[in-house]
Amino acid sequence: MLTNWAGNVIFGAREFHQPSTVDEVRALVARSERIKAVGSGHSFSLIADTQGDLVSLRQLPPLMEIDSAAMTVKVAAGVRYGELAPFLHSHGYALANLGSLPHLSVAGATATATHGSGDRNGNLATSVASLDLVTAQGDTVTLDRASGAVVNLGALGIAVAVTLDIEPAFQISQRVYRNLPELDLDIFASAYSVSMFTQWRGESLDQVWVKERVGAQTQAWQGKQPAMAPMHPIAGMPADSCTPQLGEPGPWYERLPHFRLEHTPSAGDELQSEFFVPRSQAVQAFQAINGIRERVAAVLQISEIRTIAADELWMSPCYQRESVAFHFTWIKDPAAVLPVVQALEEELAPFEPRPHWGKVFTMRPAVHPGFAGLIELYDPAGKFRNPFLDRALS
C-alpha cells in the first residue's frame, strides 16, 4: 500500500514506477493512458492520486548544474531542497527563500506554489526560470516563467528538471519571541522572514520566529526579550528537530527552514490546511477566524501565519496580490477536521481566500482562464488529469 507522508492519502495507482533516466520517463508517459508524478509525498490533498500509473522521479540522476553567468541552477525534479541547498552554498550561492521543511522535492514544491515567509519574498515557484516537461506524447518541452506553466499542479505533464534563479550566499540569524499581544502586520516587515504561531486560544500569538539577514538587521526587535532556549512551534515537541534559533548567524539554508533535514518534525501524524487572503485584509481575516477559535482549537496542533509577496504565476495563490497565509496543522482525524475546514472557508469567504493546492480544503479554487488553454495544448486527452483536478479545474 502506497501512501503520502501523512498516510491520509492511499494512492490508487495500478502500478508504481521509479524510472532512472529521462528517456524511461518519456517512454512511460507515451504508453500510459493515465499517469501522475508524486514528489516527496508531503501533499495532504489528492492532487497526485491516480488510478493509472504513479511515477516517482527520485531515481533520476541527481542533476545540480550551476550556470554562474545566468545565475541559475538546473536541478533534477526529484532533488530535495535539503540536498540542493548545501550544494549551492558550497559553491557560494543561495536560493532567495526556502519553505519550512527542507524535505520537499523541488518539482513538487514549485508545482504547488509552496512557500516560506517574507513581505518581499515570493513563493518557491517565483524562483523558477524554466522547467523541462514531458508532455502527453512523450515529448520534452522547455517552458519559461512567462508561459503560465510554472505552478502547473502536474496537469500539463511530468517535470523532469527545473531551472532556478540563484544569488550569492548569505547568512541568517534566527530568534524566537514569545506572546505577541495581537496580530501586528508591521512585524512582518521587520525582518527578512517572519512566522507567527498561535493555538487560537486567545487574541495573543504564542511565538514569533524572526529570521534576519546578517548585515541587514532592523531596529524593530532591539530591547525585546527573545526566548532563552530553543523552541518547537508545538508545545511539548522536542526542539532538536528545529533549526538554530538563539541569534547565532549561520548559512541561509540552516536558518530559513524551521526544521532540520535529518529530523522528521511530526512523523506525519497530522493533516494540514492553508488559506491565502489579501495582506490588506489580514487583520479582518484574523478576527473572523478568532470568532470560531473554539472549534479551530479543538482539532488543532498549531497554526502559522506568514506573508508572501505577489507574483505573476497564473495558478499561484498569490497571483497579483500580496498575501497573508493562515496555515493550520490539524490532528490526524479527517472526520473531525473537515467540518472545521468548511467553517473556516465560510468565515474567510468575504476575503476571497485561495487554498494551498497541496493541503486539505473543500472550496472551489480560483482558476486562471489561460491555464485551460495550456491543458488543451499539452494534454488534450487528459492523460495527467485525476478527480482532484477535474473538480478543481472545472
Side-chain angles (χ1 to χ4, degrees), residues 28-65:
L28 177 61
V29 171
R31 69 174 183 264
S32 180
E33 294 181 3
R34 289 288 186 272
I35 189 167
K36 295 293 292 181
V38 62
S40 55
H42 280 80
S43 287
F44 295 80
S45 72
L46 295 170
I47 191 168
D49 194 22
T50 181
Q51 296 297 311
D53 294 298
L54 188 66
V55 57
S56 167
L57 303 174
R58 282 290 292 167
Q59 298 303 314
L60 292 182
L63 171 71
M64 293 183 284
E65 184 177 87

Side-chain angles (χ1 to χ4, degrees), residues 132-148:
D132 294 351
L133 203 67
V134 176
T135 58
Q137 301 304 313
D139 301 321
T140 303
V141 298
T142 299
L143 303 175
D144 66 21
R145 58 164 48 101
S147 66

Side-chain angles (χ1 to χ4, degrees), residues 338-358:
L338 279 176
V340 180
V341 171
Q342 291 173 321
L344 275 172
E345 291 171 347
E346 292 171 5
E347 292 297 322
L348 293 175
F351 314 109
E352 299 183 349
R354 297 171 181 171
H356 189 304
W357 292 103

Side-chain angles (χ1 to χ4, degrees), residues 63-67 72-76 132 142 161-164:
L63 171 71
M64 293 183 284
E65 184 177 87
I66 294 171
D67 183 335
T72 59
V73 59
K74 187 171 185 178
V75 186
D132 294 351
T142 299
V162 183
T163 300
L164 304 172

Side-chain angles (χ1 to χ4, degrees), residues 57-361:
L57 303 174
R58 282 290 292 167
Q59 298 303 314
L60 292 182
L63 171 71
M64 293 183 284
E65 184 177 87
I66 294 171
D67 183 335
S68 56
M71 288 297 285
T72 59
V73 59
K74 187 171 185 178
V75 186
V79 169
R80 298 182 298 172
Y81 279 96
E83 297 158 343
L84 172 62
F87 169 81
L88 286 175
H89 188 77
S90 70
H91 288 79
Y93 297 105
L95 299 171
N97 208 0
L98 293 169
S100 60
L101 288 174
H103 308 71
L104 307 179
S105 70
V106 171
T110 54
T112 54
T114 294
H115 62 95
S117 184
D119 267 11
R120 287 174 286 182
N121 296 325
N123 64 53
L124 301 185
T126 60
S127 290
V128 175
S130 65
L131 68 158
D132 294 351
L133 203 67
V134 176
T135 58
Q137 301 304 313
D139 301 321
T140 303
V141 298
T142 299
L143 303 175
D144 66 21
R145 58 164 48 101
S147 66
V150 171
V151 181
N152 57 72
L153 318 179
L156 305 178
I158 294 181
V160 290
V162 183
T163 300
L164 304 172
D165 295 332
I166 57 177
E167 61 183 75
F170 54 92
Q171 299 272 301
I172 288 278
S173 64
Q174 177 175 227
R175 294 187 184 273
V176 176
Y177 296 84
R178 302 289 306 280
N179 301 320
L180 192 73
E182 61 186 5
L183 180 66
D184 180 356
L185 289 182
D186 290 337
I187 293 298
F188 286 112
S190 69
Y192 189 74
S193 172
V194 176
S195 294
M196 300 179 178
F197 293 93
T198 177
Q199 294 179 303
W200 294 102
R201 299 189 185 279
E203 297 282 348
S204 65
L205 296 159
D206 303 324
Q207 300 179 26
V208 183
W209 291 36
V210 179
K211 305 169 192 275
E212 298 183 288
R213 287 184 70 145
V214 174
Q217 288 98 330
T218 68
Q219 305 299 310
W221 296 95
Q222 287 194 0
K224 295 182 173 63
Q225 183 62 45
M228 301 307 293
M231 302 194 67
H232 192 287
I234 301 175
M237 293 286 286
D240 59 359
S241 65
C242 300
T243 51
Q245 303 165 7
L246 302 181
E248 179 184 357
W252 56 281
Y253 70 94
E254 293 181 353
R255 301 294 187 275
L256 287 174
H258 297 334
F259 301 103
R260 302 174 190 263
L261 179 64
E262 63 270 23
H263 288 267
T264 302
S266 62
D269 295 328
E270 62 189 54
L271 300 174
Q272 294 182 11
S273 299
E274 187 168 35
F275 299 98
F276 299 71
V277 303
R279 192 187 192 284
S280 60
Q281 296 179 296
V283 173
Q284 297 94 317
F286 181 92
Q287 292 168 345
I289 298 170
N290 205 41
I292 58 168
R293 70 188 187 203
E294 291 85 2
R295 293 189 66 186
V296 171
V299 292
L300 185 72
Q301 296 192 52
I302 196 64
S303 179
E304 182 177 7
I305 306 171
R306 291 176 283 181
T307 56
I308 309 95
D311 59 57
E312 293 297 325
L313 306 176
W314 285 355
M315 299 298 285
S316 165
C318 302
Y319 176 65
Q320 293 188 341
R321 74 182 194 189
E322 296 181 350
S323 299
V324 169
F326 292 90
H327 184 279
F328 303 86
T329 298
W330 309 110
I331 62 173
K332 193 176 175 181
D333 185 345
V337 167
L338 279 176
V340 180
V341 171
Q342 291 173 321
L344 275 172
E345 291 171 347
E346 292 171 5
E347 292 297 322
L348 293 175
F351 314 109
E352 299 183 349
R354 297 171 181 171
H356 189 304
W357 292 103
K359 311 294 185 184
V360 175
F361 62 91

